[in-house]
Amino acid sequence: MSIQYQEKSKHSKAGIALVSVFIALAVLALAYSVWRYMELGSVALAEILIEGIILFVLVSQAVGTYTVTLTESDLIIDEVGLLGKKRMVIPYAMMNGVYRFKQSMMPPLKFRYKYRKLSSTDDRPVWALAYSVVEGKKLKHGRVLLKAEQEFFDVLAQHVPNLIQVKEDQVVFHAYLREDAFKHGEDFERYAANVYGQGQAETAESKE
C-alpha cells in the first residue's frame, strides 16, 4: 500500500472549551436526575438512561481521534474511540463526490449509510463525502462527514476529478447517474462519459 497523503484529526482550544461546557451540563443533569430518583423517586429510569446516552455521545464525539489516509486506490479512515478501533475503506471508484455539508430535513439523496468521522472539538468546516456500495443486486448510497486540511482534498481530487468540493446537486446527479447505470447493467465509467459528453455537446450548441 502506497500512502500518498495522511493526517490526524485536530482539537482546537475553542472547540474543547465549548464541548466541555456541554459535557459539564450533561453531567450535572444526570447527577441531579440520579439524586432525585434515589431520594425522591420522582424520576423515571428512562430519563436517566436518555441523559446517560447523551453524555456518552458527547464524550465519544469529543475524545475520538481519526486518521485519514489516501492510497493509490482507496480512502482509509481509522477511528480510535471509547468503543475501540474501527477502520473504514472507500474505493475512489465508488465515490460520488464531496460537498460542503448543511443539515437538511429532506436531503435530495437517500443515504442508506451515514457516518460521522470527525471530532466535535475540531473547528474546521464539515464536508460530506458521498459514495455507493454494491450489495448483491442492489446499489446503496452512503455518506461520511469529515474534516480535513485543504491538501487532503487536493490529493483526493487527483483520483476523483471534478467531484471534490463541488456543489451538492452535482454530487447528487453523479450518484443518480451511477444508480441508473447499475440498474441497466451498464459500465459506469463508459455510461457517465457518454452522458457528460452529451451534456457538454448540447451546451456548446446552445452557445453557437
Side-chain angles (χ1 to χ4, degrees), residues 46-96:
E47 181 178 334
I48 296 177
L49 179 61
I50 292 173
E51 291 175 348
I53 293 175
I54 292 174
L55 178 60
F56 176 81
V57 171
L58 287 173
V59 174
S60 63
Q61 290 184 355
V63 303
T65 58
Y66 305 88
T67 301
V68 293
T69 303
L70 298 177
T71 70
E72 67 276 6
S73 58
D74 307 300
L75 161 63
I76 302 174
I77 304 176
D78 290 304
E79 175 184 354
V80 180
L82 295 179
L83 299 179
K85 298 180 180 180
K86 296 179 182 179
R87 167 167 284 198
M88 185 176 191
V89 180
I90 305 176
Y92 300 137
M94 299 303 293
M95 292 184 182
N96 296 313

Side-chain angles (χ1 to χ4, degrees), residues 22-36 43 47-48 51-52:
F22 284 111
I23 291 177
L25 291 175
V27 170
L28 290 174
L30 179 60
Y32 180 63
S33 295
V34 171
W35 177 81
R36 287 173 59 195
V43 178
E47 181 178 334
I48 296 177
E51 291 175 348

